[in-house]
Amino acid sequence: MTPAPPPETAPAPDPGPDPAPRGLLARAFGWLDSVTLGIWLLVLLFVYSTVGSAGYPRWGMVWNPAAWTPVRTKRWFEMTEFEWFHWWPFDLLIGLICLNLAVVTVRRIRLNAINAGVWMIHTGILVLCAGSVWYFGTKVEGDAPVVRRQVVIRTPDGETGAMRAIPGAATEVGGWRFSVTSTTPDYTLLTEGAEGVRDFAVTVSVTSPGGARFLRQLLADHPEHTEDVVPSGDPEQPMARAVKVLGRPLVDEELELALDFLPTEHFYLANWVQKSWALYLREVRADGTRTPWAQRPLEGMPLFNDFLEDPALAWIAPGESVPVDPLDARAEAVEPHDPLPDLPVTVTSYLRYAVLEERRVPGGPLDPTATVRLADDKHGVTADVTLVPNHPREQEDDYGVDLVWAATEAERERLATAAAPRLLFTADGMAEPYEVAVREVSVLDRDLPWTPVPGTPYEHRVEFVQDLGEQGVLASVELRTPERAFRRWVFDPPNAARTMDVSLAEVPELDHDDHDGHDHQPDLVPREHYELDTGIDVAFDPGNRPPPVRLVAGPGEDELGVVLHAGSPQDGTWVPLEVGEVVSLGDERSLVVTNWSARSRLEERPALVPLRERNRDARERRSMVRFRVGPEGAGASDWAMFHHFVFDRSDDDGLRFGPAMRRFPMVPTPVRLADGRTIEVAFSRQRLPLPAPVVLDDFELAAHVGGFSGQTTSIRNWTSHVRFAADDGGWSDPLTVTVNGPAEHEGLWYFQAEWDPPDPGRFRGQPDSAGLNYTVLGVGNRNGVGVQLLGCAISVLGMLYAFYVKPQLLRRRRRGGGDATAARSRARGLASVGVGGAPEEIA
């Protein structure tokens, strides 16, 4: 066969003129059309998020979470996590990632049924980012304290007042004094017709202008059962219901006390979201009343690090250091009722974790003080002890070391030598005074024999000796004659006003069997005392019982020495001592004086708490700032402690009536201005008004089996039932708020943040609290959450489409493509053997 001629090749088409250059829009977005760029942007985002959130570890401690330090907490950043992920570098990265994703999707991925899943995933990511911009760009979060009830007061004269229904709260209205002695969150009524009904009860102590006292019990939901409790005159039951004693339920029916809601109108912004520091100012008027607090926001404030303008302004622990780095954060007046609208207030120092302490510093009157360091090298223990002999109440645990002042060399010699306490008796008819050493005390041995006083009918024995600190030393001397027996209290230094003869009817007892009778704490309020027996006079010399190590200073202000009483031949010898000189105490123990001054004065400064001793859960509650009212160099400066909340009411002043809310005291800093006015300053957080005032209707505590044990782990849930102010002047229906069950009202969401646990009295005179008197609600908005959820839903649908629908489409396409290929092969085979029509027709 003759081979067929090769087919003619068609000439190549004319390419025409060169294509026109790309447009400006294409050039602008062309560099974004890169998958590699997207990968690098994601790597940068990962690195940025890691160093800002987790941080970097200390060398060799990668697996210890506590060893990681976020970069954002360093001095040069000072950002919360919210601020770090809302900073312009992060926003720029997210914006570039979104642009890269959009450009690559449009230019590289054709929109068809096969690629619909990818388009949905990318679209969902972009929608999620848009919703997040809305959410974080408008985010507001904080908390609001809401007290369960307040006691509303109206006196018979028509004067009115109020106070919080919290144990310890107190106020005075028209000469009447009121204080909350207790609250009962789950009071059960026993009254006929209301048996078993649960209510919130408050007991108020009332003192009339005339001095009459009684208790009034108030019920939140059953005011008709209000009644008084009065003295009964029966020693077995000193208090009784007024209806049983007086025949009526109330002592004075014109005195009106009732429980009412106490609305909360503001919430305080959370510093952990975004730093929201603020100073609050109010003026103390001449009559003692106060103006409302005026808020001054603070900008440029730190949160995590100390900024101190002068190290001398704070007590810094040994081994700790704080860089000198002053602040210049100005608080400008923004509210019309600000007491100093034209006067600047500037924060110059900030301490992250500190407490105010009074310590001795050199200078002032003659008042010796020393700080010694005791070391036990055998056990690796050291202790720093501050000695203040003239102020025993300031004295720390002395560890067997004390400091005394000698006005003369003779007194120094006496203070260095041990001597027993002595009694000196004088009486008419005695040839000479009778002196006897005190070596035994009857409080330890009631069978101790009596010793006659020569030349008198008296016999004596010493009951106890007590060091009363600044009041001197007391000796209780038991005396008896054939006619009577009594005890006499004598003092050193002599105190004629306090020397007395006391009945022997009651004998004090010691709590410890091994007590030596010295420094025993007796009841110094005698129940029966006699006219002083002038037949005998008793004087007391406390002697000298030096501890194992005694520092003796004086008579010169630069003279300091040590006297040891440790069983060595040198005991009782005064040896000069220099600051920093090491004194060996034997058995690998030593003493060194690190600070000494013959003249000292008390000075209050904030003491920085070392990092290892800080409670990480305290957040900013131990922080404080130093502020200046007025221009630099001419203003008044002082320290202000942080207040978690700032309360406006007159019964909220912690210095006058006790804490405003237990665990949230109000202790503002008073500042005296040059014009004579007094301004109080409080350091806190910015606050915003709530859309509607909120009140606490009820609070429930759900515990695990066995009930509340005092530990938070025994609690299953906390529930606050709150109401909001309605347009008609009343209150809305109760809204339930729990820890994981937030509720929405007028655009803000409310959730359970803190509660009022049972709390024992924190200082003398403060009553115990059964708790549940208030709640702390978390408050925040959730703008854009719907958009974020929509973006997530679109991406999830896209993933489902890409993993389940797309494979089916590809499988069908491959199946359809295989049938067409087989038909074309069969047609070519028929044409080659001359069967059928033209190849074009067969094909």
Side-chain angles (χ1 to χ4, degrees):
M1 290 182 62
T2 304
E8 297 182 3
T9 303
D14 184 6
D18 293 338
R22 294 187 300 171
L24 293 177
L25 188 62
R27 291 181 179 180
F29 288 96
W31 64 278
L32 290 170
D33 185 13
S34 170
V35 176
T36 303
L37 174 64
I39 294 173
W40 278 109
L41 288 174
L42 291 176
V43 170
L44 289 176
L45 182 65
F46 173 79
V47 173
Y48 182 93
S49 302
T50 300
V51 300
S53 182
Y56 60 91
R58 290 194 290 271
W59 182 257
M61 305 180 69
V62 177
W63 306 114
N64 183 3
W68 287 70
T69 302
V71 172
R72 60 182 174 80
T73 63
K74 292 301 182 180
R75 303 179 70 86
W76 50 86
F77 287 118
E78 274 290 351
M79 291 183 178
T80 65
E81 198 158 15
F82 177 89
E83 291 172 330
W84 179 261
F85 290 104
H86 200 53
W87 196 23
W88 68 263
F90 181 80
D91 294 340
L92 178 62
L93 280 173
I94 295 297
L96 289 176
I97 289 173
C98 290
L99 282 174
N100 175 256
L101 185 66
V103 171
V104 170
T105 302
V106 171
R107 300 191 63 175
R108 290 177 175 263
I109 305 175
R110 181 175 298 177
L111 179 59
N112 53 32
I114 298 296
N115 298 327
V118 177
W119 273 74
M120 292 171 65
I121 295 173
H122 291 185
T123 301
I125 293 174
L126 295 176
V127 173
L128 173 61
C129 290
S132 298
V133 170
W134 184 11
Y135 178 87
F136 291 104
T138 61
K139 182 62 178 175
V140 173
E141 188 161 334
D143 50 13
V146 188
V147 177
R148 192 165 186 168
R149 292 294 187 276
Q150 64 174 332
V151 180
V152 181
I153 304 166
R154 183 180 179 86
T155 68
D157 297 332
E159 298 194 38
T160 60
M163 63 181 176
R164 284 183 171 84
I166 296 178
T171 190
E172 183 174 343
V173 181
W176 293 75
R177 296 194 303 274
F178 306 90
S179 64
V180 178
T181 60
S182 68
T183 59
T184 307
D186 294 309
Y187 181 81
T188 302
L189 276 73
L190 302 177
T191 307
E192 184 177 356
E195 299 93 336
V197 176
R198 170 181 166 273
D199 204 348
F200 179 67
V202 178
T203 302
V204 181
S205 174
V206 182
T207 304
S208 70
R213 300 185 62 184
F214 59 91
L215 301 175
R216 179 163 293 187
Q217 187 180 60
L218 309 173
L219 299 177
D221 298 328
H222 299 82
E224 66 276 10
H225 295 307
T226 298
E227 62 178 351
D228 292 343
V229 178
V230 299
S232 64
D234 184 356
E236 295 185 359
Q237 186 180 0
M239 303 295 290
R241 298 169 60 194
V243 68
K244 293 185 177 181
V245 178
L246 305 177
R248 59 182 186 273
L250 302 180
V251 173
D252 189 338
E253 297 183 354
E254 294 185 353
L255 175 65
E256 300 177 9
L257 299 182
L259 296 179
D260 196 4
F261 290 130
L262 179 56
T264 293
E265 300 178 349
H266 299 87
F267 72 100
Y268 294 78
L269 298 178
N271 272 324
W272 65 267
V273 175
Q274 189 168 4
K275 294 189 294 293
S276 305
W277 299 112
L279 291 179
Y280 289 80
L281 279 66
R282 69 181 179 186
E283 182 177 358
V284 182
R285 303 188 183 100
D287 59 358
T289 60
R290 290 161 168 80
T291 61
W293 287 109
Q295 178 182 191
R296 289 194 176 196
L298 280 166
E299 302 295 338
M301 285 285 295
L303 179 62
F304 301 102
N305 299 279
D306 298 319
F307 287 76
L308 192 59
E309 59 181 313
D310 186 353
L313 295 175
W315 307 117
I316 301 175
E320 300 288 326
S321 62
V322 178
V324 178
D325 194 357
L327 290 174
D328 188 21
R330 295 176 63 86
E332 302 289 349
V334 296
E335 296 184 347
H337 61 277
D338 193 293
L340 305 174
D342 301 322
L343 199 60
V345 179
T346 307
V347 170
T348 57
S349 296
Y350 168 82
L351 299 180
R352 175 70 176 86
Y353 204 112
V355 292
L356 283 175
E357 287 186 4
E358 281 189 334
R359 297 185 186 178
R360 291 267 159 192
V361 296
L366 183 64
D367 199 351
T369 180
T371 302
V372 300
R373 175 166 297 173
L374 300 170
D376 185 345
D377 295 336
K378 177 184 294 186
H379 300 95
V381 178
T382 61
D384 291 319
V385 183
T386 300
L387 305 172
V388 191
N390 294 343
H391 307 277
R393 294 181 181 179
E394 300 176 26
Q395 187 74 50
E396 304 173 8
D397 191 348
D398 55 19
Y399 294 90
V401 182
D402 74 351
L403 170 68
V404 293
W405 175 263
T408 63
E409 292 188 2
E411 185 179 5
R412 185 171 70 188
E413 186 67 24
R414 182 184 66 81
L415 291 171
T417 305
R422 297 176 301 155
L423 293 176
L424 185 67
F425 296 90
T426 56
D428 294 338
M430 293 179 63
E432 60 182 10
Y434 172 61
E435 183 178 304
V436 61
V438 179
R439 304 191 183 278
E440 297 179 288
V441 290
S442 64
V443 74
L444 294 176
D445 181 9
R446 299 310 302 175
D447 295 327
L448 187 69
W450 294 79
T451 303
V453 179
T456 71
Y458 294 93
E459 294 180 327
H460 86 281
R461 64 183 184 181
V462 178
E463 186 180 24
F464 60 82
V465 176
Q466 169 65 32
D467 188 347
L468 303 179
E470 297 179 0
Q471 302 178 34
V473 182
L474 162 69
S476 179
V477 183
E478 295 177 323
L479 297 168
R480 73 179 182 182
T481 65
E483 292 78 20
R484 65 169 186 154
F486 59 96
R487 67 164 64 96
R488 176 167 294 181
W489 286 354
V490 292
F491 296 84
D492 179 80
N495 189 332
R498 301 191 65 190
T499 299
M500 64 180 68
D501 290 345
V502 185
S503 169
L504 282 179
E506 296 182 9
V507 179
E509 297 182 358
L510 291 177
D511 296 330
H512 304 285
D513 295 337
D514 58 350
H515 204 291
D516 63 0
H518 296 285
D519 296 340
H520 169 61
Q521 180 64 52
D523 180 6
L524 297 184
V525 182
R527 298 195 176 182
E528 182 181 359
H529 62 273
Y530 307 129
E531 184 178 350
L532 192 67
D533 188 332
T534 58
I536 191 170
D537 183 68
V538 184
F540 173 62
D541 179 357
N544 183 36
R545 292 191 303 154
V549 181
R550 164 164 283 180
L551 301 180
V552 182
E557 294 186 9
D558 58 347
E559 293 184 84
L560 177 67
V562 62
V563 179
L564 300 180
H565 289 270
S568 66
Q570 292 78 25
D571 282 1
T573 303
W574 183 85
V575 179
L577 184 64
E578 299 290 337
V579 174
E581 182 179 349
V582 178
V583 178
S584 176
L585 304 179
D587 197 21
E588 299 185 41
R589 295 175 300 164
S590 62
L591 172 147
V592 59
V593 177
T594 59
N595 187 25
W596 146 253
S597 178
R599 297 180 178 272
S600 67
R601 55 185 174 83
L602 275 177
E603 186 170 308
E604 186 179 57
R605 302 179 192 171
L608 270 73
V609 179
L611 286 173
R612 61 183 179 276
E613 300 177 12
R614 298 181 182 182
N615 180 4
R616 299 183 64 179
D617 295 332
R619 290 188 175 179
E620 72 272 58
R621 297 192 182 186
R622 290 293 186 181
S623 61
M624 58 181 61
V625 296
R626 185 170 180 83
F627 62 90
R628 182 182 66 245
V629 180
E632 185 175 0
S637 297
D638 208 340
W639 289 95
M641 296 185 298
F642 176 77
H643 293 78
H644 200 65
F645 304 114
V646 175
F647 304 102
D648 289 309
R649 292 156 51 96
S650 60
D651 64 322
D652 293 329
D653 186 357
L655 300 178
R656 298 174 60 199
F657 300 111
M661 281 174 51
R662 299 175 78 106
R663 301 191 302 130
F664 300 108
M666 275 294 298
V667 189
T669 302
V671 177
R672 188 79 170 179
L673 302 182
D675 58 7
R677 290 188 298 165
T678 298
I679 300 295
E680 290 183 334
V681 180
F683 175 49
S684 185
R685 303 169 292 159
Q686 297 178 35
R687 65 184 182 186
L688 297 177
L690 291 168
V694 59
V695 297
L696 179 61
D697 185 55
D698 196 4
F699 188 90
E700 295 180 3
L701 189 68
H704 292 287
V705 177
F708 177 55
S709 65
Q711 302 294 325
T712 305
T713 53
S714 66
I715 301 174
R716 189 171 72 252
N717 203 357
W718 298 263
T719 303
S720 294
H721 300 279
V722 299
R723 298 174 183 263
F724 295 90
D727 295 335
D728 59 2
W731 300 100
S732 67
D733 294 332
L735 198 64
T736 300
V737 176
T738 64
V739 176
N740 296 316
E744 186 271 340
H745 183 78
E746 294 191 19
L748 289 180
W749 289 81
Y750 298 82
F751 57 92
Q752 188 66 43
E754 296 186 53
W755 69 300
D756 177 27
D759 182 30
R762 296 172 180 266
F763 50 84
R764 185 175 182 181
Q766 186 185 38
D768 297 341
S769 172
L772 309 188
N773 300 299
Y774 63 83
T775 186
V776 179
L777 299 177
V779 183
N781 60 7
R782 301 180 66 185
N783 299 334
V785 172
V787 178
Q788 291 175 312
L789 294 176
L790 176 63
C792 293
I794 294 174
S795 293
V796 170
L797 290 175
M799 294 177 190
L800 294 174
Y801 188 95
F803 284 102
Y804 294 100
V805 178
K806 180 179 178 179
Q808 297 295 331
L809 296 177
L810 291 176
R811 198 173 295 116
R812 290 181 181 180
R813 175 175 291 185
R814 283 195 298 269
R815 190 182 308 118
D819 294 343
T821 302
R824 284 193 294 271
S825 299
R826 195 166 48 251
R828 291 193 190 97
L830 293 174
S832 63
V833 296
V835 179
E840 292 82 358
E841 295 176 356
I842 296 176

